Amino acid sequence: MTKTPFYITTPIYYPSGNPHIGHCYTTVACDAIARYRRMQGYAVLFLTGTDEHGLKIEQKARAAGMEPQTYVDGMTERFRKLWDVLNVRYDRFVRTTDDYHIRTVQAVFQKLYESGYIYKGQYVGKYCTPCESFWTPKQLVGGKCPDCGREVTNAREEAYFFKLSTFTDTIGKLLESGTFLQPNSRAKELIGNFIKPGLEDVCVSRTGVAWGVPVPFEPKHTVYVWFDALLNYISALGYKNGAFEDFQYFWPADVHFVAKDIMRFHAILWPAVLTVLELPLPKRLAVHGWITVGGEKMSKSSGNVIDPYVLMKRYGTDAVRYFLLREMILENDSAFSEDILLKRVNADLANGIGNLVARTVAMVEKYFGGTLLAEQEAASIDEPLIKSALALRDKTDAAIDAFRLNEALAAIIEVISLADKYIDETAPWSLAKDPSRRTRLAMVLYNLLETLRITSGLLVPFMPTMMPKVWEQIGATEEDVVYDKLNQWGILKSQATVRKGEILFPKREVGN
Ligand code: ME8
C-alpha cells in the first residue's frame, strides 16, 4: 500500500539569538503532529531550519566581530542541539545559506522577473530592521513600526518590486475561503488591514544589504530576506535545485505552522508568489498566538525570554513539551509563568498519569505478585471507562486535524481522571480482602492497564521520551500500542505482567 504524504513545516528561525520557549512551542507542536501522522501511517516530511540572511543577522555578526557565515554556522548549531534535546524528530533542516536554497531563490527571482511580476523601481519609505519589514508612512503607528513598536529608518533606494497589487482579489478570496487559514477568525484582521485598502507592490531587493542572495541579473542587489525565506518551503523539497527529489511527492504542504507575527507574509505574499509559479497553494496555514510574559510577547529583543534548558533541567523534557502543548489555545496568547507550568505538570502528569501508573502497577504487584489472573469477571461499572477509552482516539484524531493539541491532551487527561474515579468506585483494596473476589479484582486492574495502554499510546507523539517507560511498567510491547490498536480493547494478555519502575513524573515545587 502506498502511503499518503504529509508535509509539515515550522518557520525557519532567525539565528540572531538563542532559541527560547516561543520557538520551542511551534517546533514541538509540529513535532507532535508529525509523530501523530507517522503513527497513523502517513509518509511524513517534517521540515525546520534557520533564516540566515538580512541586515539584522549581518549587524549581529559584525557586533560579535565575526563574518556573517561563521556567526550563523555557530548559531544554527544551537537550534539543532535544542531540537535534539527536546526530542524533536525533524526530517530535514534547511538553512537559507545552503547552496541548493540559493539556487532556488535565484531561479524563482529570475522567473518572476521574466514573467513581468518583478520590475525595477525606487523604494522610498521606512524599514524596521528587527522585523525586516518595509512600511509606508501611512502604516506606521505613532511614527514607529506597527508590528514591534520600535524606531524605523528611512530607506530610499533603487529596488526590485513584486507586483503584489495584482493579487488583491485572489488573496481576498483565499482568505475568505475559510479552509486555508486556521483558525479562520484571524482572516478578518488581514482582510481589514491589507485586502480592503488594496494590496501594494512590495520591495523584494535591497542594495544596502550585502548579506543576502544576489539578484542573478544584477548582483549589487540582494534578495529581500522575506522573499528569500519563504522559498525554503519548496527549496527543501528540491524545487529548481536538483538537491532533492521530493517536490512532486510532498508539495503542496499540508500545513505551515507559524505564529501570528508572521501570518501576513505566509497568508499574502507566499500564496501570491506560488500563484505566479503556477504551483498549488499550501493546504493550510495554522496560526497560533504568542507566549507572553507579563502581558508582553516573549522575544529576544524584549529581553524577557525563558531559557528552555533551565526548565528542562528542572522539570524534564517531556514535562516542558506537555506544558507548552497543553496551555496554548490556537486563538489566544498564552501567559508563561513557572507557577502555571508547575500547577499543570503536577496536576496532569505527577498526580495524573504518573500516579495512575504507579498505583496500578503497585496493586498488580501487591495483590497478584506482578502477573494478573487469567480468569476475570466483568461488571457493568466497567463500561463507562471502557467506552470513554475506546472513543478517545477519534477525539485526538479530530483535535490533531484541527491543530488543537491542547484539546487532544485535555481529552486524554479526562480519561485518566475517569480511571482515577473508577479506582475509587471499585475500591480494589476492599476486593483484595475477600478471597472470593479475586477474579473481579483482576478485571479491575486489567481495565486500568488497558486504559493506560490506550492513553499512553495516544500520548507518545506529545511525550516521546516518557511514554515508552509507561509501556515497560505496564508490560505493553510496541506492538500493543500501534495506532490500529488504540481504539481496541483487550489487547494486553489477561495474564498481564507489570514491572515497577522509577517515578515517572515526580511532584515538583518552584525552584526544585
Ligand atoms: O520570523 N510565542 O523568525 P523568528 C510563540 N525568520 N511563538 C513564538 C514566540 C512567542 N513569544 N516567539 C517566536 C522569523 N515564536 C522568520 C520566519 S519563515 C519563512 C521566516 C515562534 O526567529 C513563532 O513560530 O522571529 C514565530 O512565528 C517564530 O518563532 C518567529 O521566529
Side-chain angles (χ1 to χ4, degrees):
M1 207 174 65
T2 50
K3 288 188 169 186
T4 310
F6 183 80
Y7 179 33
I8 180 166
T9 67
T10 71
I12 48 169
Y13 306 110
Y14 292 126
S16 50
N18 287 330
H20 56 72
I21 65 166
H23 303 109
C24 293
Y25 171 72
T26 320
T27 307
V28 168
C30 289
D31 184 54
I33 297 169
R35 285 173 180 273
Y36 199 95
R37 286 284 186 254
R38 286 190 202 106
M39 179 169 92
Q40 290 178 308
Y42 287 80
V44 172
L45 200 152
F46 167 21
L47 175 72
T48 189
T50 40
D51 184 359
E52 306 184 4
H53 291 127
L55 192 55
K56 186 169 62 176
I57 299 272
E58 190 177 338
Q59 289 173 345
K60 276 270 178 178
R62 303 279 177 227
M66 289 162 112
E67 282 304 311
Q69 187 65 54
T70 320
Y71 175 75
V72 293
D73 285 348
M75 291 303 291
T76 288
E77 278 314 306
R78 299 191 192 188
F79 282 79
R80 283 185 193 268
K81 183 171 160 240
L82 177 59
W83 305 150
D84 285 348
V85 175
L86 265 172
N87 206 352
V88 168
R89 199 179 135 201
Y90 55 84
D91 298 293
R92 197 158 291 164
F93 193 100
V94 56
R95 301 181 56 183
T96 55
T97 52
D98 283 331
D99 288 347
Y100 69 83
H101 174 79
I102 293 170
R103 288 204 292 282
T104 300
V105 174
Q106 292 189 321
V108 169
F109 203 95
Q110 181 89 37
K111 179 157 182 193
L112 266 51
Y113 181 66
E114 283 164 11
S115 57
Y117 278 95
I118 283 181
Y119 64 92
K120 201 174 195 176
Q122 261 292 320
Y123 181 79
V124 185
K126 305 287 178 182
Y127 194 74
C128 173
T129 304
C131 294
E132 299 276 18
S133 288
F134 292 99
W135 300 106
T136 63
K138 247 193 353 229
Q139 290 171 317
L140 301 180
V141 175
K144 308 236 165 98
C145 170
D147 271 0
C148 72
R150 277 173 293 209
E151 295 293 336
V152 290
T153 51
N154 286 320
R156 179 190 192 94
E157 57 193 48
E158 181 191 270
Y160 287 93
F161 287 82
F162 173 65
K163 280 191 184 164
L164 190 61
S165 57
T166 57
F167 289 91
T168 305
D169 288 346
T170 321
I171 303 293
K173 284 201 190 97
L174 177 69
L175 296 176
E176 276 158 10
S177 73
T179 54
F180 173 65
L181 194 60
Q182 304 290 325
N184 203 245
S185 51
R186 296 204 186 266
K188 257 193 244 114
E189 186 188 323
L190 289 170
I191 291 170
N193 291 347
F194 298 100
I195 304 295
K196 285 263 156 64
L199 292 174
E200 291 177 27
D201 289 354
V202 290
C203 191
V204 288
S205 80
R206 305 221 46 195
T207 48
V209 183
W211 182 238
V213 179
V215 168
F217 44 86
E218 199 181 352
K220 77 168 193 233
H221 286 260
T222 53
V223 175
Y224 169 47
V225 63
W226 265 103
F227 189 88
D228 169 358
L230 288 164
L231 290 169
N232 89 87
Y233 300 129
I234 55 177
S235 75
L237 298 180
Y239 181 76
K240 293 206 183 294
N241 62 39
F244 307 101
E245 303 275 307
D246 296 315
F247 189 74
Q248 255 339 76
Y249 187 66
F250 281 108
W251 192 258
D254 289 86
V255 58
H256 295 315
F257 208 75
V258 304
K260 62 183 183 182
D261 49 345
I262 59 174
M263 168 170 73
R264 67 192 169 94
F265 294 103
H266 287 80
I268 297 176
L269 179 58
W270 182 224
V273 170
L274 289 167
T275 304
V276 183
L277 294 174
E278 297 178 347
L279 295 177
L281 304 186
K283 291 180 205 156
R284 301 265 189 276
L285 172 64
V287 182
H288 62 81
W290 287 331
I291 294 182
T292 58
V293 179
E296 264 193 57
K297 180 189 175 199
M298 183 183 295
S299 70
K300 298 178 272 258
S301 45
S302 314
N304 59 0
V305 299
I306 304 290
D307 180 352
Y309 287 104
V310 173
L311 294 183
M312 286 192 289
K313 190 152 175 264
R314 256 180 219 164
Y315 303 100
T317 307
D318 274 5
V320 172
R321 287 177 62 114
Y322 180 85
F323 160 75
L324 291 170
L325 301 179
R326 178 64 186 85
E327 289 298 321
M328 180 67 84
I329 299 169
L330 223 46
E331 282 80 0
N332 304 347
D333 288 345
S334 169
F336 175 84
S337 80
E338 213 163 319
D339 200 41
I340 303 175
L341 186 158
L342 207 74
K343 285 202 175 103
R344 179 57 81 186
V345 165
N346 280 341
D348 293 2
L349 302 183
N351 297 337
I353 185 159
N355 186 45
L356 184 62
V357 172
R359 273 176 103 184
T360 306
V361 169
M363 288 193 286
V364 177
E365 294 211 324
K366 182 164 171 204
Y367 303 140
F368 291 98
T371 301
L372 288 181
L373 268 191
E375 202 187 326
Q376 299 178 354
E377 177 195 336
S380 60
I381 198 174
D382 303 342
E383 280 156 25
L385 177 66
I386 298 176
K387 228 171 114 192
S388 313
L390 286 176
L392 186 57
R393 199 188 77 172
D394 280 350
K395 288 189 188 165
T396 53
D397 281 359
I400 292 285
D401 290 349
F403 316 106
R404 297 183 179 275
L405 306 183
N406 63 308
E407 291 180 10
L409 292 172
I412 299 171
I413 296 301
E414 209 180 294
V415 174
I416 303 275
S417 307
L418 264 182
D420 284 334
K421 205 170 119 226
Y422 176 77
I423 298 182
D424 293 343
E425 288 168 354
T426 53
W429 48 90
S430 304
L431 294 172
K433 287 187 191 136
D434 182 350
S436 71
R437 309 294 317 269
R438 294 209 37 93
T439 52
R440 178 62 194 142
L441 177 61
M443 181 89 266
V444 167
L445 298 181
Y446 180 83
N447 288 337
L448 293 171
L449 290 176
E450 273 291 274
T451 305
L452 281 169
R453 179 186 62 81
I454 291 178
T455 46
S456 62
L458 291 169
L459 276 173
V460 76
F462 305 89
M463 293 190 282
T465 309
M466 296 309 286
M467 291 307 109
K469 298 189 180 184
V470 173
W471 305 337
E472 273 173 33
Q473 297 204 23
I474 65 167
T477 62
E478 295 245 333
E479 188 50 36
D480 296 333
V481 290
V482 294
Y483 180 74
D484 285 345
K485 293 186 181 156
L486 296 179
N487 66 349
Q488 290 182 39
W489 198 258
I491 296 298
L492 290 175
K493 297 197 302 273
S494 47
Q495 278 179 299
T497 300
V498 301
R499 183 149 20 106
K500 203 173 162 149
E502 62 182 308
I503 294 181
L504 297 170
F505 298 103
K507 215 166 160 173
R508 309 279 185 185
E509 282 168 39
V510 177
N512 276 321

